[in-house]
Structures are given as structure tokens and as C-alpha cells.
Amino acid sequence: MIIICVRSFSRSTNAIKTEIFMLIKRSSDILPSEITPEAVYLKRRELLKMAGIASAGLVASPSLLAAGPVPGDAGKRLEGIRKSPFSTDQEPNSWSDVTTYNNYYEFGTGKEDPSRNAKDFEPLPWTVKVSGECDKAGTYNYEDIINPHTLEERIYRLRCVEAWSMVVPWVGIPLADILKRFAPNSDAKYVRFQTLYDPKRMPGQRRRILDWPYEEGLTIAEAMHPLSLMAVGIYGYELPNQNGAPMRLVVPWKYGFKSIKAIAGIKFTKRKPRSSWEKAIPSEYGFYANVNPDVPHPRWSQARERPIGAGVFAGKKETLMFNGYGDQVASLYTGLDLRKNY
Ligand code: MTE
């Protein structure tokens, strides 16, 4: 890693500006999570922020660089992660973007509430109740669900229904590989997921913002699609509490609210389950919730999105149908009117 410091004089402000650039040599066959923490987490945007500090008169000493957004709050490092051909080559958001700009109403409705309020949540030990149309119903320990599988890194775009977006380097297991072990039968047409219900540990559940526990659903074909992921980590580390520890869904072609966190229940059903948001405001949030720039939310357009962390001058970018995953998933919806089935 080479650090270059450039100083220039600005006529408009009559001030000396200091900019810091870091050249990172990155081999294509290593995981971002295997690169040294400084290189992973000190990204261009954060360097520019530091340049801002430097231009304000502070010195960007080596200790300031090392103390940057390194994940001091990260949990356990996950081992044996393989790369996935499904990853985007877009640059992931920083650790700090991904872990401090969250939606997790069980821990508050502000974007920074989950990172503050979920700090003391202890996700382990954890059990998941598996029920419904399957041969292997039962209550399983987290370790029994996860440990038989090899972890994969999947760098996915995340598009929230609120019209912001991020790129997140998840670590997880193809959802299909987990679900198949419960042997769903031929009546299993849908899968319903439930978040833990425990108002003592999830203080947001003491307020009736939603009909708790948070619930989400997928068709069995969506759940078995190779892109659907059960995530247990980000950036090569175990999932932070605010991101849905110990395990959460990631369905990258759908609005983020489908990607339910802290899963404690999985049920195979004959009938279409109703998700929490669908129950709360059915005219605004449908079952499918596929990212679709042509179908506006009743209160705002979905044509464009605001990439988090891109800076105030970066502006918005166009939203892609199925969040850019159309080649892989469009065939799931052949013959379905996507305006009616929003
Ligand atoms: N899961 C639960 N249990 N509770 C929530 O409030 N919010 C959803 C989804 N999963 C939510 C949830 C929404 S609206 C989004 S956009 C994503 O989580 C955000 O995931 P992130 O905070 O990891 O970016």
C-alpha cells in the first residue's frame, strides 16, 4: 500500500488543501475480507473525508489512518469463505456505511438506532423453529443449520424501498441448500420467515409500529433460487447485531424489506403468507416487492436511487429492473403482471 499526500493552493478559498490518496494493490483472487483491514475499510470516500480534516489544519498522521474505519466493533472472523460468481464487481460500501445506516425497527426507527440499541443483544445461543409442509420439522440450533455448509462471499446490490441503495459484501449460504435439508413436500408452495419475538431483548417490539414478529415470505421458487442467500456475516466477519445477527435473508432483486433479519422461524406453507409490511399498508407494500423502476411507490418514484456513501454531490442513479438481476430472475415471473403483483 502506498500513501500519497498532495497539497494544492485554492484561489477561491485562499487556503492550502491537502489530499491523501492511497494506492492499493489488490489481487483478483483474494476475498476483500482477506485484505488487511486498513485496505478494506479505508476507502476513497473516507480518505477524502480525512483530506477534509487535513485541509482544516489537522495532520493526517499514520495513527489517524490506522484508526480510521477499521472494524473495532467487528465480531468473530469467519473462516473458509469461498468466492462466488454471483458477486458484483462494484465497490462495496464501507463497514461503517453498512453497520450504521440500518433499518431494523425492533431496535428503533432511526437509521442509526439499530447500531446503538442492538449493541448488547446476544444472538447466541439461537434456535430456529422449522414447521409446516416438510418432513424434517423441528427446532434446530444455529450451529446445526449453518455448520454443515461452506460459507460464500456474495457481494450484492441492496435497494431499499425508500429509494437508497448500497453494495454489501455478505457472507452466507445459498438459502436452497439450507431449505432442502428440511425436506419440503409437494404442498410447500411458499416459505414464511419470522424474526425472533422477544420484546425484552428487542425493545422496538414494545411499540406497536408493526404486527410483531416481523414476517416475510417468498414463493418456493424464489426461495430456492440460487441468488437467495442466508447471510451470517459481512466483510468476512460474523453478522453485526444491527444487520440481523445471527442469520438473515438476502434477496437482492427485491426491495430490502424482504430481507428479514434475525430469523427464528421458517414455515413451509400451501398458501401465500402475508408479510408484516403488507399487513400494515397493503396499498404500498406487496408480497412480491421486486425492484421495479416502472412501478412507483404510491408516495414517491422508484425510478432513481440514492447510493449511500457516495457524497452529497454524487446525485442519484437510475434504478434497474430487478435491481440489475433480471437476467437471472425474470423467468420466475413469466406471465405475471408486475404492476398488479407489486
Ligand atoms: N428485518 C427485521 N426483522 N426488521 C426490520 O425492520 N428492515 C428491512 C430488512 N429486514 C427490517 C428487516 C428493511 S426495510 C431493509 S432496507 C433491510 O432490512 C436493511 O438491512 P440492513 O440494515 O442490513 O441494510
Side-chain angles (χ1 to χ4, degrees):
M1 179 176 71
I2 304 163
I3 295 173
I4 301 172
C5 184
V6 178
R7 276 172 182 240
S8 55
F9 180 72
S10 159
R11 277 187 213 169
S12 55
T13 58
N14 245 4
I16 294 171
K17 189 171 141 204
T18 308
E19 285 175 295
I20 303 166
F21 299 96
M22 188 157 55
L23 302 180
I24 299 165
K25 193 174 175 219
R26 181 172 154 176
S27 155
S28 60
D29 59 358
I30 52 173
L31 295 170
S33 50
E34 290 167 339
I35 304 168
T36 58
E38 288 87 349
V40 173
Y41 302 111
L42 285 173
K43 299 196 345 225
R44 189 164 38 96
R45 183 178 47 261
E46 283 136 356
L47 283 165
L48 292 177
K49 270 189 209 155
M50 283 182 192
I53 295 170
S55 64
L58 293 173
V59 180
S61 68
S63 61
L64 174 59
L65 287 173
V70 173
D73 55 339
K76 208 177 80 198
R77 191 101 163 79
L78 299 167
E79 302 296 333
I81 306 167
R82 68 172 172 225
K83 283 178 98 172
S84 164
F86 294 122
S87 286
T88 170
D89 55 12
Q90 284 171 253
E91 190 189 10
N93 275 82
S94 68
W95 173 269
S96 110
D97 288 343
V98 177
T99 60
T100 61
Y101 191 93
N102 300 103
N103 275 341
Y104 198 176
Y105 279 17
E106 286 85 342
F107 292 100
T109 51
K111 294 287 180 270
E112 291 181 11
D113 288 346
S115 56
R116 281 195 289 258
N117 300 339
K119 259 198 188 76
D120 298 328
F121 180 76
E122 288 194 6
L124 297 178
W126 191 263
T127 55
V128 179
K129 187 179 169 206
V130 177
S131 59
E133 303 294 339
C134 66
D135 294 344
K136 300 211 172 138
T139 299
Y140 294 84
N141 288 331
Y142 170 82
E143 292 75 13
D144 295 336
I145 296 177
I146 303 303
N147 288 355
H149 300 274
T150 302
L151 297 177
E152 271 185 41
E153 180 176 75
R154 298 267 184 109
I155 306 173
Y156 279 162
R157 292 178 289 279
L158 171 77
R159 169 62 157 84
C160 178
V161 75
E162 298 163 344
W164 54 263
S165 62
M166 284 201 208
V167 178
V168 183
W170 303 106
V171 177
I173 295 154
L175 181 63
D177 292 353
I178 292 178
L179 296 184
K180 279 178 198 159
R181 286 177 46 218
F182 305 131
N185 63 39
S186 58
D187 281 332
K189 306 291 184 214
Y190 297 90
V191 192
R192 190 203 68 186
F193 300 88
Q194 260 184 350
T195 294
L196 175 73
Y197 179 65
D198 189 343
K200 282 202 189 101
R201 296 165 69 200
M202 295 183 151
Q205 290 177 336
R206 292 177 217 154
R207 295 172 60 203
R208 292 208 57 81
I209 307 163
L210 287 172
D211 183 12
W212 308 112
Y214 195 101
E215 286 183 355
E216 260 310 332
L218 296 173
T219 66
I220 192 84
E222 291 173 332
M224 295 295 184
H225 190 280
L227 286 179
S228 295
L229 189 75
M230 184 68 87
V232 296
I234 53 165
Y235 264 116
Y237 288 87
E238 64 186 7
L239 210 52
N241 291 339
Q242 59 269 39
N243 295 90
M247 58 201 273
R248 59 91 58 89
L249 206 62
V250 183
V251 194
W253 70 96
K254 292 178 178 282
Y255 291 122
F257 69 88
K258 298 293 289 182
S259 294
I260 179 172
K261 299 179 174 183
I263 295 172
I266 297 176
K267 186 173 186 181
F268 297 94
T269 65
K270 279 185 202 159
R271 295 223 189 99
K272 185 154 70 173
R274 289 189 78 209
S275 70
S276 295
W277 281 108
E278 208 184 346
K279 276 190 246 172
I281 323 178
S283 57
E284 298 191 358
Y285 306 104
F287 172 79
Y288 286 96
N290 291 315
V291 175
N292 189 340
D294 302 328
V295 177
H297 184 280
R299 290 183 280 134
W300 58 84
S301 164
Q302 293 292 23
R304 299 171 74 73
E305 65 199 49
R306 179 173 60 92
I308 298 301
V312 277
F313 301 114
K316 293 191 172 180
K317 65 172 202 179
E318 280 180 21
T319 288
L320 302 174
M321 186 65 206
F322 296 117
N323 202 20
Y325 296 97
D327 286 352
Q328 290 109 304
V329 301
S331 61
L332 289 172
Y333 308 103
T334 311
L336 197 73
D337 182 341
L338 295 175
R339 282 188 178 273
K340 284 189 190 143
N341 296 283
Y342 54 86

